[in-house]
Amino acid sequence: MSRFATPALGRRTFLRALGAAGGALAAPGLWEPAPALARAASKVRAVETSDMGVTLKIELSNAPFPCAGAPYQDATAMVFVPAHYRAPESDELDLVIHFHGHVTTAERAIAAHKLREQLYESKQNAVLVVPQCAVNAAESPPGKLGQKGGLRRLCGELASVLATPSARRALGDAAVPRQARLGRLCLSAHSGGYRVAAACLRHGGCEVNEVYLFDALYGEVDAFRDWVLERKDRSGRDRHKLISHFVAGDVRRLNLELERALEAQGVACLHERRPGELTRKQLLDGRAIFIQVPLAHSAVTFEQNAFRDCLFASGLHRQLRSGWFEKKDEPRQIDLRRRP
């Protein structure tokens, strides 16, 4: 990869959007109508290019921080657009938003957990976003994403930043739609990032389609349970889909508690106790999937390509062919990605 290069940028003022404030769901798109946005100059701070795609380091006024009552001030987010991304004719923007765990940063997490590599390998036509949560802290407060409509405001501002000339120049052929509207929205969390994901499900103000947890269910069981149950009578892409990977201890106990709670409400759950026991078709079709892994806590997201396989089996809109579903009805082979 090339080193980050900071482009020369002028200030950009965001349009104040019309529509309902608070937690109302946007219709038909994620940010149209959108809550009123502060007239803040969010900027592309740096650009990194590689054969896989383009990573933008941006600043967002609707990032989790700064937030009243919290000491954290970093308002950046890492945004990765794979080289194969092409704006669809529908102008729908599919997003995968990942919340990092404790004692790290968004920039370190996106690299250490191989999130860009896994999105690129999944061939999905989606944009990855890793907001900066509490910097190097042993806690994970949601900040502004814990406020009503916080996720919706962040996504709306993100779409505005990506539509600016500076971002479009950096992305080239992989530029996102100029007038983006909601496609699919997937949330992902490692470790303590579960608190931010749960806050988005409770108060985010926009439709979340899928959630991936990576040894992350330390609490907020009710938030994930209620979100799955909201659409328990829907099927296909209309359902809410949860995939939770876990190791042991309290996280395992709470995953089993969530599984029992969902089954008590008539939700059919899948549970993998040995690597590769579930088929790829089961990963695709499942509604609530619990996967026990023999890995270190820090390796759950990437060592068995768990994030990549969640994306392969997702409802994101793919434009490239993939052979991932060959032998889809057989126990799946686990591809190992070694630690750097």
Side-chain angles (χ1 to χ4, degrees):
M1 291 187 180
S2 69
R3 295 178 61 187
F4 275 114
T6 303
L9 296 175
R11 287 186 171 270
R12 301 290 302 177
T13 304
F14 290 102
L15 296 176
R16 189 178 300 274
L18 299 176
L25 290 181
L30 178 58
W31 30 80
E32 187 182 27
L37 299 179
R39 292 184 178 274
S42 297
K43 295 180 178 180
V44 177
R45 294 297 190 188
V47 177
E48 180 185 359
T49 59
S50 75
D51 291 341
M52 289 190 303
V54 177
T55 304
L56 304 175
K57 187 175 185 178
I58 66 176
E59 183 177 309
L60 297 171
S61 59
N62 288 291
F65 300 102
C67 183
Y72 310 107
Q73 300 296 315
D74 195 328
T76 60
M78 306 300 296
V79 179
F80 172 66
V81 183
H84 58 253
Y85 180 89
R86 294 296 181 270
E89 293 182 2
S90 65
D91 285 338
E92 291 183 341
L93 177 61
D94 284 4
L95 294 176
V96 181
I97 303 180
H98 178 82
F99 302 117
H100 65 76
H102 291 179
V103 198
T104 191
T105 66
E107 191 167 346
R108 287 209 303 271
I110 199 173
H113 294 268
K114 304 299 180 185
L115 301 179
R116 288 172 291 196
E117 290 85 346
Q118 293 187 78
L119 172 57
Y120 176 76
E121 291 167 13
S122 78
K123 301 183 180 179
Q124 293 289 15
N125 203 54
V127 171
L128 170 67
V129 185
V130 185
Q132 180 58 61
C133 297
V135 176
N136 291 322
E139 61 172 351
S140 51
K144 289 196 286 286
L145 290 182
Q147 299 171 357
K148 240 184 176 182
L151 178 63
R152 184 174 162 202
R153 288 188 290 272
L154 180 143
C155 291
E157 186 183 6
L158 171 71
S160 297
V161 172
L162 294 180
T164 60
S166 57
R168 294 185 64 82
R169 282 195 302 272
L171 295 173
D173 290 341
V176 307
R178 292 180 184 274
Q179 300 294 327
R181 62 191 187 91
L182 176 61
R184 306 284 296 178
L185 178 57
C186 304
L187 300 186
S188 168
H190 174 247
S191 191
Y194 79 96
R195 281 194 61 197
V196 192
C200 290
L201 296 182
R202 292 187 190 276
H203 311 297
C206 55
E207 186 61 56
V208 175
N209 303 103
E210 303 186 19
V211 172
Y212 317 132
L213 300 177
F214 300 98
D215 212 32
L217 192 62
Y218 285 89
E220 299 283 4
V221 171
D222 290 357
F224 298 102
R225 180 202 64 201
D226 293 347
W227 171 79
V228 172
L229 293 177
E230 278 176 13
R231 294 199 169 190
K232 78 168 195 173
D233 296 324
R234 302 199 192 184
S235 59
R237 282 182 166 161
D238 286 336
R239 75 196 189 284
H240 284 168
K241 178 179 179 180
L242 170 72
I243 304 181
S244 182
H245 296 74
F246 60 93
V247 178
D250 286 344
V251 180
R252 178 181 183 276
R253 176 179 59 81
L254 291 175
N255 269 275
L256 297 179
E257 177 183 315
L258 176 57
E259 182 179 5
R260 288 192 297 269
L262 290 172
E263 289 182 332
Q265 294 293 323
V267 175
C269 298
L270 297 173
H271 191 131
E272 178 171 283
R273 293 171 176 81
R274 296 184 302 278
E277 186 177 25
L278 294 177
T279 68
R280 292 177 173 183
K281 187 174 189 304
Q282 286 175 307
L283 288 189
L284 175 68
D285 295 339
R287 183 184 304 270
I289 304 171
F290 298 88
I291 300 178
Q292 188 164 353
V293 292
L295 299 173
H297 171 75
S298 60
V300 172
T301 310
F302 68 90
E303 193 163 301
Q304 292 184 347
N305 287 299
F307 182 68
R308 183 203 68 183
D309 287 356
C310 286
L311 298 177
F312 264 126
S314 73
L316 295 167
H317 298 103
R318 187 193 310 279
Q319 293 190 3
L320 299 179
R321 290 174 179 257
S322 169
W324 191 78
F325 286 103
E326 293 176 5
K327 302 180 179 179
K328 64 181 183 299
D329 294 314
E330 300 178 10
R332 72 189 191 285
Q333 180 178 347
I334 300 296
D335 301 321
L336 294 180
R337 182 187 298 277
R338 296 302 178 187
R339 294 169 184 255

